[in-house]
Amino acid sequence: QVQLAESGGGLVQAGGSLRLACAASGRTSGAYIMGWTRQAPGKERELVGVIGWTGGSTVYIDSVKGRFTISRDNVKNTVYLQMNSLKPEDTAVYYCAASTILNNLRRGVPEYWGQGTQVTVSS
């Protein structure tokens, strides 16, 4: 009942920045925890950060702390991922995900997720 659509990916040099957006539509009244995941070529998908849908709490994996920031605009039903100081190892398809249960996001089985947007960081 919820659809997620990512945008904002692209090609950037190492040290550059990108801002990804995740627009939610459909039944968006639920208290969903939102997360950003990524999947690099030949690697498993990993959860890089989460943000409470109605709260302000955020958490990130160690490799992106201090570089990535998750924010939200509930009026626009949009979640953002600001990525600074990008590294080649950040290259991946980035997906937006939503779940009412945090552990489901951590396990990679959220109720909803989008189609992904490609981020490529050159050296």
Side-chain angles (χ1 to χ4, degrees):
Q1 296 181 1
V2 175
Q3 295 79 47
L4 304 175
E6 303 93 338
S7 62
L11 174 64
V12 65
Q13 284 188 296
S17 299
L18 285 173
R19 189 179 76 159
L20 307 184
C22 171
S25 60
R27 192 182 66 83
T28 58
S29 60
Y32 294 108
I33 301 167
M34 305 297 296
W36 284 96
T37 67
R38 66 185 182 186
Q39 187 168 23
K43 299 183 66 177
E44 296 295 319
R45 183 181 297 190
E46 64 176 346
L47 180 67
V48 301
V50 299
I51 185 170
W53 184 241
T54 59
S57 297
T58 58
V59 64
Y60 309 90
I61 57 173
D62 289 342
S63 61
V64 307
K65 287 182 179 178
R67 300 189 298 118
F68 289 12
T69 303
I70 298 175
S71 61
R72 69 188 188 279
D73 184 338
N74 286 341
V75 175
K76 297 181 178 180
N77 290 324
T78 301
V79 176
Y80 302 93
L81 180 65
Q82 178 68 47
M83 304 184 294
N84 298 324
S85 301
L86 283 162
K87 304 175 180 179
E89 51 263 44
D90 295 318
T91 295
V93 177
Y94 283 72
Y95 301 87
C96 182
S99 178
T100 56
I101 303 173
L102 175 61
N103 199 48
N104 285 351
L105 284 174
R106 297 174 62 189
R107 294 174 57 242
V109 288
E111 287 97 313
Y112 309 99
W113 45 24
Q115 297 299 306
T117 185
Q118 177 71 49
V119 172
T120 302
V121 184
S122 61
S123 60

